[in-house]
């Protein structure tokens, strides 16, 4: 009798998993439509694309929340599942419980509005006019507040939205970590501002052809070990990576006066893509073949961008390739390139161009503003002034244009409220993971210097990538590092690195 019951449970699980995979494939299709919209689609295509994505979002929502899914989850409650099966059911149940509280019509409306918001954001940024974007931003805020109200009317709406991107770290933990970064990084930045150290901040000054920069970006991806059979490189107004373990695409952007920006952006997105490509092939379409949430994803991009791409060892390896593409840098020394790649800016307006330290003040600014927007303490029309005031307070510089200020990020056009804290959380986790990788990989610095990246990729694959969503975020961190999530490694890393650079 017990054997027969176990067979029934396995049968239920298999049918449940088939449905989960069908939903995942619908979502993957929608994801590629969004990639096309941001990279290749003609401008007028938005007329149809918004309807396509709205329809797909509604269908996915209906599939996820229908009676059949509920029956499967009820039957699997308390079933004798192995740990991997239990993890899949845990992840799907959590999504099911959230999604069943949200009307399908609202899901479709949010998708349609975000599709239409993207070209309005692009136009507003190009025209340097926040008023073009403000009406659709107002609409998205109202839709997302309604969404949060449906999920949990008694909870802080911002906490509900934050949980879409990081479900297993409490918002309170994120706030405490952001506060610690602000409190400890601001004095360090002040010390750097008072330092008499003279870094080679002009090492990469001049004009650098954008087509040649793209060739250099491809060189970097080759060196790091990007799998071109499962990926591609394109440009986009705001760099991103998207896809799955069979097709993980990278986008970047180039500025003729800032060759480091395009290079570090490419390495950053490589970090995202290499995580995606490291997910187990055989688990595609299930939570075990999907990445853990955005704190972990961002840790991978920040690890490769900062701990590898801005390291002295990397520049010892890569500077000759840079000089081959741009002969005007033939006399540049490794130390000069390293200093230029790690300078702390006293006038940086743009988050994606920020250094490792002031970057987090950009995140605090965005976190505070979007939280006030969600809570109704800030009107949309007042965003530019609030943004500029806080930029001046936290970073000592005031934007002269909306394009340099509140229109620089794409995320609000996606309706991604609650996303920004994961950037800082990811940076903190990157340092924690890299510290443990250094302990366990023999002469990691030397291997980077020699262009041997397999050991680091393998370590991350073994300790992070292969697990997919098997563990919650805190469990995964504990599994990978043997300790709980902490900012100690990040703060120790930046104090040592920038203390040396600026003779502190």
């Amino acid at each position: 009798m017990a054997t027969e019951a176990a067979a029934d449970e396995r049968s239920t699980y298999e049918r449940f998993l088939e449905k989960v995979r069908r939903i995942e494939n619908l979502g993957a299709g929608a994801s590629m439509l969004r990639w096309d919209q941001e990279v290749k689609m003609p401008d007028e295509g938005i007329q149809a694309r918004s309807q396509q994505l709205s329809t797909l979002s509604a269908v996915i929502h209906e599939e996820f929340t229908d009676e059949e899914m509920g029956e499967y989850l009820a039957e699997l409650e308390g079933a004798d599942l192995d740990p991997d099966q239990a993890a899949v059911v845990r992840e799907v149940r959590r999504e099911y419980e959230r999604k069943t509280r949200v009307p399908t019509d609202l899901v479709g409306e949010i998708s349609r509005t975000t599709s239409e918001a993207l070209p309005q954001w692009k136009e507003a940024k190009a025209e340097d006019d926040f008023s073009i974007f403000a009406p659709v931003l107002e609409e998205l805020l109202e839709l997302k507040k309604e969404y949060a109200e449906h999920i949990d009317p008694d909870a802080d709406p911002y906490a509900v939205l934050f949980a879409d991107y990081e479900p297993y770290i409490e918002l309170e933990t994120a706030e405490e970590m952001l506060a610690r970064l602000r409190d400890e990084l601001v004095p360090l930045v002040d010390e750097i501002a008072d330092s008499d150290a003279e870094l080679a901040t002009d090492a990469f000054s001049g004009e650098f052809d954008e087509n040649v920069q793209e060739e250099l970006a491809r060189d970097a991806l080759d060196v790091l070990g990007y799998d071109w059979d499962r990926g591609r490189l394109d440009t986009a107004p705001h760099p991103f990576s998207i896809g799955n373990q069979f097709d993980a695409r990278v986008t970047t952007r180039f500025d003729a006066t800032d060759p480091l920006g395009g290079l570090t952006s490419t390495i950053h997105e490589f970090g995202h893509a290499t995580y995606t490509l490291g997910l187990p092939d055989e688990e595609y379409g299930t939570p075990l073949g999907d990445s853990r949430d955005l704190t972990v994803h961002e840790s991978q991009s920040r690890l490769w961008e900062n701990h590898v791409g801005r390291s002295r060892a990397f520049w010892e390896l890569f500077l000759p390739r840079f000089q081959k593409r741009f002969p005007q840098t033939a006399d540049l020394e490794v130390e000069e390139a390293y200093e230029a790649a790690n300078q702390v800016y006293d006038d940086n307006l743009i988050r994606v161009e920020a250094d490792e330290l002031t970057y987090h003040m950009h995140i605090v600014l965005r976190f505070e503003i979007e939280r006030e927007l969600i809570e109704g303490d800030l009107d949309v029309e007042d965003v530019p002034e609030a943004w500029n005031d806080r930029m001046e307070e936290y970073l000592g510089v005031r934007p002269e244009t909306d394009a340099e200020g509140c229109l620089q990020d794409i995320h609000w056009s996606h309706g991604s409220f609650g996303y920004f804290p994961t950037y800082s959380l990811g940076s903190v986790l990157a340092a924690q993971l890299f510290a443990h990788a250094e302990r366990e990989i023999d002469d990691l610095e030397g291997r980077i210097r020699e262009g041997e990246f397999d050991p680091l990729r393998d370590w991350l694959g073994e300790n992070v990538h292969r697990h997919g969503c098997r563990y919650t975020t805190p469990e995964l961190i504990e599994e990978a590092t043997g300790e709980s999530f902490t900012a100690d490694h990040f703060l120790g890393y930046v104090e040592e690195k920038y203390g040396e650079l600026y003779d502190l």
Side-chain angles (χ1 to χ4, degrees), residues 177-373:
M177 196 161 282
L178 286 173
R180 185 179 177 193
L181 294 182
R182 181 188 61 220
D183 293 345
E184 298 196 31
L185 292 181
V186 168
L188 179 58
V189 172
D190 288 343
E191 280 190 73
I192 288 170
D194 294 336
S195 170
D196 293 328
E198 295 184 6
L199 272 64
T201 56
D202 61 349
F204 294 99
S205 61
E207 292 285 325
F208 296 82
D209 183 273
E210 293 182 20
N211 291 324
V212 181
Q213 284 194 52
E214 181 171 348
E215 294 171 0
L216 183 71
R218 292 180 180 277
D219 290 343
L221 292 173
D222 285 339
V223 166
L224 295 171
Y226 185 53
D227 186 349
W228 292 103
D229 291 332
R230 298 193 181 200
R232 55 179 291 135
L233 174 68
D234 296 275
T235 58
H238 193 99
F240 68 99
S241 176
I242 201 168
N244 54 66
Q245 50 267 68
F246 299 101
D247 179 1
R249 306 179 184 192
V250 169
T251 68
T252 191
R253 66 180 181 187
F254 303 109
D255 178 338
T257 64
D258 180 23
L260 286 181
L263 178 62
T264 56
S265 171
T266 302
I267 297 173
H268 178 101
E269 300 306 334
F270 163 82
H272 282 302
T274 200
Y275 178 20
T276 303
L277 292 170
L279 297 166
D281 288 0
E282 66 276 11
E283 299 294 350
Y284 170 73
T286 82
L288 295 180
D290 200 1
S291 57
R292 189 63 281 170
D293 300 288
L294 288 183
T295 295
V296 177
H297 227 311
E298 194 61 25
S299 76
Q300 302 305 285
S301 59
R302 297 292 281 174
L303 186 152
W304 284 97
E305 176 191 355
N306 293 327
H307 296 270
V308 176
R310 295 185 195 273
S311 70
R312 186 180 278 107
F314 178 79
W315 279 101
E316 289 182 54
L317 166 72
F318 198 71
L319 183 58
R321 291 169 173 82
F322 195 107
Q323 292 169 325
K324 183 177 180 180
R325 293 293 183 188
F326 293 106
Q328 67 263 43
T329 63
D331 294 332
L332 200 61
E333 299 290 336
V334 168
E335 195 63 21
E336 293 173 319
Y338 172 69
E339 290 177 359
N342 289 285
Q343 63 182 292
V344 176
Y345 298 97
D346 58 7
D347 61 350
N348 183 266
L349 292 164
I350 308 300
R351 176 184 63 84
V352 296
E353 299 171 3
D355 56 81
E356 285 183 277
L357 304 184
T358 60
Y359 180 88
H360 299 283
M361 298 305 100
H362 286 267
I363 301 305
V364 169
L365 178 154
R366 287 154 175 78
F367 167 67
E368 291 179 354
I369 286 179
E370 67 178 21
R371 184 154 197 188
E372 289 174 16
L373 285 168

Side-chain angles (χ1 to χ4, degrees), residues 383-455:
V383 165
E385 183 177 4
W387 184 289
N388 294 348
D389 288 346
R390 290 183 206 214
M391 183 72 75
E392 190 167 22
E393 178 184 355
Y394 296 157
L395 291 153
V397 59
R398 191 174 186 87
E400 295 182 1
T401 68
D402 291 343
E404 290 181 327
C406 60
L407 288 173
Q408 65 179 268
D409 289 306
I410 198 172
H411 302 72
W412 288 346
S413 73
H414 292 160
S416 298
F417 306 105
Y419 185 108
F420 281 115
T422 64
Y423 281 120
S424 285
L425 297 179
S427 296
V428 167
L429 179 55
Q432 186 172 350
L433 290 169
F434 195 79
H436 284 272
E438 283 187 304
R439 293 175 189 172
E440 297 179 22
I441 299 172
D442 183 47
D443 190 20
L444 178 55
E445 181 180 353
R447 290 172 183 262
I448 292 172
R449 186 180 297 110
E450 295 300 318
E452 298 174 8
F453 293 103
D454 286 350

Side-chain angles (χ1 to χ4, degrees), residues 83-112:
D84 283 357
Q85 292 172 333
V88 170
V89 172
R90 178 197 69 217
E91 293 297 313
V92 174
R93 188 185 303 282
R94 182 187 175 280
E95 283 295 303
Y96 174 80
E97 290 174 351
R98 285 173 71 87
K99 290 181 185 299
T100 51
R101 298 169 186 166
V102 182
T104 300
D105 289 349
L106 177 58
V107 172
E109 182 69 7
I110 290 172
S111 178
R112 180 195 62 77

